[in-house]
Amino acid sequence: MSSETAETGTTTPERDEDEEPESALQTARRQLSRAAAHLDIDSNVVERLKHPAGVHRVAVPLERDDGSLDVFTGYRAQHDSVRGPFKGGLRFHPGVTEDECIGLGMWMTWKCAVMDLPFGGAKGGVVVDPKSLSEGEKERLTRRFAQELRDVIGPKRDIPAPDMGTDAQTMSWFMDAYSMQEGETIPGVVTGKPPVVGGSYGREEAPGRSVAIVTREAIDYYDMEIDDVTVAVQGFGSVGANAARLLDDWGADIVAISDVNGAVYDPDGIDTRDVPTHEEEPEAVTKYADDLIPNEELLELDVDVLIPAAVGNVITEDNAGDVQADLVVEGANGPTTFAADSILEERGVPVIPDILANAGGVTVSYFEWLQDINRRSWSLERVNEELESEMLDAWAAVRAEVEERDVTWRDAAYVVALSRIAESHEKRGLWP
Ligand code: NAD
């Protein structure tokens, strides 16, 4: 295993502010600088946070089904652990890069801190197209990757989770490989496992649930009534469908939903339980309706709330001026580019940021970790109650900064996160 230091994260030049889309690392660094400008914190701490604590690059050999050998590259970027063990997903995707892992790891540091979880941030993955692997090859690759990372992960060090191209089954294999080598079952080494091997009830639904909770609070904050509100949701997967169905249950009118094939629009409201989610029947949203519109049009509908919950960089400088929603809640990670964010700010359209809105996922991962360590599982009711309470606390902390500093919701969320991280660094001090 080779391990590289923080220096690897410093080589990417900062981009011109008008260029887009920017990389995850550029976004993460830019948001760190923006938040730091609002706070009176030690500049040494900010400098330290621009760099990951470490980046581990490993070779992952895989015996293919035909007996040949391929060697894939895997990464684990660990950004900051001042508040607790590193936490973040593992991707199997051909586009995984070291810089992307570093940037997304920084993002996880902010997300855990805004939720006040005792975790730092990390991200990793293998540069591989999971669709090119058989089930057996995927299992062997996962087990070998777990072995290569074994020295730098663990329930007290770094706790991976599923991300693009990985799922509950992948986490189960990963946990098994780690446990076999350690000589005991250690479920707390990863989260996002199936409940039968130490996963948490409610984990799958959690990011969508947190998006719904935050949307409900924002609707109330802006003096709207949930029963009168119209909502458009882009993406009908784990995040989008769960958020849409809960808001539907709570009285909102979901008038538009979409998947990669297109969008359904019904001004009278869609019964979201009648449409299969991405998991129930992939890419089937458009099969169940007559009135279809292109996906881009969904973003520009005259609705009260827009929830982009599919992919990143969909609200850009090209369409931000045409967004007619009164409120945007980010379900996906990074759906609004930096330039689009400025346009929406100028137009007075509030954007509730991803690091707050979809943080239910990592919050229930924290609950899973607690359950694993204590060897005691929680009921779904308890998970949902505790998630509600954590989301309301985070919402209140961010709202307080919005009101006190007169900043955007995104800046306020970063201010909350950074002040907690910086204070922890100041109290712990820098080892000389
Ligand atoms: P998913 O695969 O379950 O669903 C994605 C949905 O988006 C599908 O309906 C797909 O058809 C649709 N889609 C894909 N490309 C699209 C496009 N170009 N236009 C419109 N629709 C498109 O994914 P998910 O888990 O719901 O994740 C969605 C977003 O939320 C991602 O940005 C992800 O990083 C983020 N997120 C996910 C979690 C999680 O735990 N699932 C947690 C936090 C954030």
Side-chain angles (χ1 to χ4, degrees):
M1 179 176 70
S2 80
S3 168
E4 297 169 15
T5 63
E7 296 311 312
T8 50
T10 64
T11 49
T12 312
E14 300 282 344
R15 287 163 70 103
D16 181 84
E17 299 222 338
D18 295 331
E19 273 182 66
E20 58 179 309
E22 61 181 15
S23 73
L25 179 55
Q26 289 157 342
T27 307
R29 287 226 175 100
R30 188 186 335 242
Q31 279 158 349
L32 169 63
S33 303
R34 269 182 76 113
H38 291 288
L39 292 168
D40 180 23
I41 49 175
D42 185 346
S43 61
N44 290 333
V45 169
V46 179
E47 188 56 30
R48 168 68 192 79
L49 289 170
K50 286 182 187 162
H51 306 275
V55 184
H56 307 279
R57 185 177 62 218
V58 296
V60 193
L62 169 70
E63 185 182 341
R64 306 301 298 242
D65 290 343
D66 65 4
S68 64
L69 182 94
D70 280 326
V71 181
F72 295 94
T73 301
Y75 297 103
R76 186 66 176 170
Q78 298 172 326
H79 174 239
D80 185 77
S81 63
V82 72
R83 293 168 46 81
F86 301 106
K87 184 88 191 80
L90 288 178
R91 298 188 159 181
F92 285 179
H93 191 271
V96 167
T97 65
E98 186 172 316
D99 269 6
E100 183 192 61
C101 292
I102 296 168
L104 295 174
M106 289 171 84
W107 233 329
M108 284 305 298
T109 305
W110 319 142
K111 199 180 270 194
C112 292
V114 83
M115 292 307 303
D116 212 2
L117 305 178
F119 288 141
K123 201 70 140 196
V126 178
V127 190
V128 63
D129 179 359
K131 291 194 197 104
S132 70
L133 303 174
S134 69
E135 199 65 359
E137 289 171 337
K138 209 189 285 184
E139 176 173 353
R140 292 197 290 281
L141 186 81
T142 304
R143 289 182 179 280
R144 185 60 189 252
F145 189 37
Q147 170 60 16
E148 295 300 330
L149 292 182
R150 191 155 68 89
D151 288 346
V152 296
I153 57 170
K156 293 185 209 155
R157 286 189 173 180
D158 183 354
I159 307 133
D163 203 284
M164 281 163 66
T166 57
D167 56 17
Q169 177 61 71
T170 327
M171 292 305 110
S172 201
W173 289 326
F174 195 100
M175 182 274 274
D176 186 67
Y178 182 85
S179 298
M180 297 292 277
Q181 293 295 338
E182 295 291 312
E184 59 179 306
T185 296
I186 306 180
V189 65
V190 286
T191 59
K193 303 175 295 296
V196 72
V197 289
S200 179
Y201 295 114
R203 168 65 184 83
E204 176 59 27
E205 195 202 87
R209 178 171 281 273
S210 70
V211 169
I213 292 169
V214 163
T215 304
R216 185 195 66 206
E217 295 305 305
I219 286 169
D220 184 53
Y221 183 83
Y222 286 105
D223 292 328
M224 295 185 270
E225 290 292 331
I226 197 156
D227 290 336
D228 302 334
V229 156
T230 54
V231 184
V233 183
Q234 186 190 48
F236 208 62
S238 169
V239 179
N242 282 309
R245 285 179 174 178
L246 276 171
L247 288 166
D248 194 2
D249 291 349
W250 295 342
D253 260 343
I254 313 299
V255 295
I257 56 175
S258 73
D259 65 17
V260 71
N261 296 326
V264 177
Y265 175 51
D266 184 346
D268 294 331
I270 296 163
D271 190 342
T272 53
R273 304 265 167 196
D274 283 351
V275 185
T277 67
H278 184 66
E279 202 189 38
E280 289 160 0
E281 188 183 346
E283 327 299 17
V285 167
T286 51
K287 273 199 208 167
Y288 292 85
D290 304 323
D291 295 328
L292 300 182
I293 58 169
N295 237 311
E296 307 74 57
E297 253 177 60
L298 177 144
L299 299 170
E300 298 170 12
L301 288 173
D302 187 6
V303 288
D304 298 306
V305 183
L306 171 64
I307 304 180
V311 289
N313 296 326
V314 292
I315 306 180
T316 67
E317 61 184 334
D318 296 333
N319 62 3
D322 299 320
V323 168
Q324 294 188 64
D326 298 321
L327 172 68
V328 176
V329 181
E330 293 186 330
N333 284 324
T336 317
T337 67
F338 182 81
D341 219 22
S342 306
I343 295 168
L344 291 173
E345 185 183 351
E346 275 164 31
R347 294 184 50 221
V349 180
V351 179
I352 313 296
D354 45 10
I355 62 163
L356 171 65
N358 68 30
V362 71
T363 304
V364 175
S365 273
Y366 166 57
F367 298 163
E368 179 174 336
W369 180 74
L370 289 177
Q371 293 170 68
D372 290 341
I373 287 173
N374 291 303
R375 294 291 202 266
R376 181 138 171 74
S377 82
W378 297 3
S379 66
L380 179 61
E381 292 69 31
R382 175 162 178 202
V383 168
N384 287 343
E385 263 171 39
E386 300 240 7
L387 176 60
E388 170 90 15
S389 152
E390 298 283 344
M391 292 313 303
L392 292 184
D393 285 353
W395 169 261
V398 174
R399 190 190 58 207
E401 295 296 341
V402 165
E403 288 169 353
E404 201 177 306
R405 296 176 191 270
D406 192 22
V407 291
T408 65
W409 289 89
R410 192 183 311 281
D411 283 348
Y414 280 90
V415 162
V416 169
L418 182 58
S419 48
R420 286 175 177 161
I421 296 161
E423 201 183 331
S424 309
H425 271 286
E426 282 168 20
K427 290 281 184 242
R428 283 184 63 166
L430 181 69
W431 190 265

